Amino acid sequence: MPRPQILLVEEFYFAKKEWDDLACIADILVCDSPNRESFIQDCASKYNNITCIYSSWRSAEITGVIDEELISKMPRSLRFIAHNGAGYDQIDVSACSKAGIMVSHTPGAVSRATADTAIFLILGCLRNFPQGEYNLRKGSWRSETSVEIGNDPNGKTLGILGMGGIGRSLAERARIFGMNVIYHNRQKISWTNNARPLAEYVSFEKLLAKSDVLSLNLPLNSNTRHIISSLEISKMKRGGIIVNTARGGVLDTVALIEALESGHLKSIGLDVFEEEPHIPRQLVENPRVLLLPHMGTYTIEAQYDMEKLVIENLERAVEQARLITVVPEQKGQQEHIMTKRRY
Ligand SMILES: *[C@@H]1O[C@H](CO)[C@@H](O)[C@H](O)[C@H]1NC(C)=O
């Protein structure tokens, strides 16, 4: 029997030994197609027998989004896409399901590093740290006119929109800082093993109205695009803060800039942007905005954990024709999706 083939449309950097182990049970092909067009051609020739793909946000720079068109051109042998990242908005999961392809992502592995980033943004915004840094780099020290006096997190209400792994890690951290944590999620969480829930469930409306700081921790998809826009911001307290470590598209950038300039929002902390790496000038030039270039999981530990989880998924795929961390849209449907004939 020929060995299963795994196509890497992304390099690996951190889990070197684990990748070597994987090479003992599968043939690893490295994608050398320079762009989408040649990738599609190569799918009909040298990638013709692949069963798994390793992808990440970087692979989209080669293949473009994994949409219905691209999926229809992929070899019939393909059954699994193991994506490196908690967010997988570059993959059309419903098109994958229709084609009998299972998709995994790397939740959990990203939680600590992303939650740490959110805490950094929350503290920085509450304390007006970007104003201080902005002035310092321009050569002036802090003065009451150039840097507004800040607030402690203690006693402030943090509203978490999206209570997955990152939301939970953030709630744990925020409580240590004395914050009162509320959340809204598609489903109310039933907290097991916890005498006291990490956060109080509230309606979306109440989340907006009560939060001193609103943190976005939900995936980007057609339901969540611009979930926070002018109307939602107007329901927030005057002087509120928004931090986003999820995806740029969940926030309406134009509405955000308006609310910042009108003073309705005191400060904004962003790790992600709608059109990365392009950031609107109004954000870059405003010292009330704390900016990071998408560094949420940019740590050795998080990157290692993410790669390791990808490899575990690929091993399970090769050995048991199953994935471990299946994307939520496909959860519980593995049998059904896998039995689908391709095209
Ligand atoms: C795909 O598998 C078939 C049947 O085993 C084989 O003849 C062909 O050479 C393989 N193609 C590639 C690109 O590996």
Side-chain angles (χ1 to χ4, degrees), residues 156-167:
K156 300 292 176 300
T157 296
L158 170 65
I160 297 178
L161 184 56
M163 190 50 91
I166 298 167

Side-chain angles (χ1 to χ4, degrees), residues 6 85 88 103 118 134 162 245 260 296 340 343:
I6 299 171
Y88 47 90
V103 182
Y134 185 85
T245 53
L260 186 71
K340 258 179 215 175
Y343 312 116

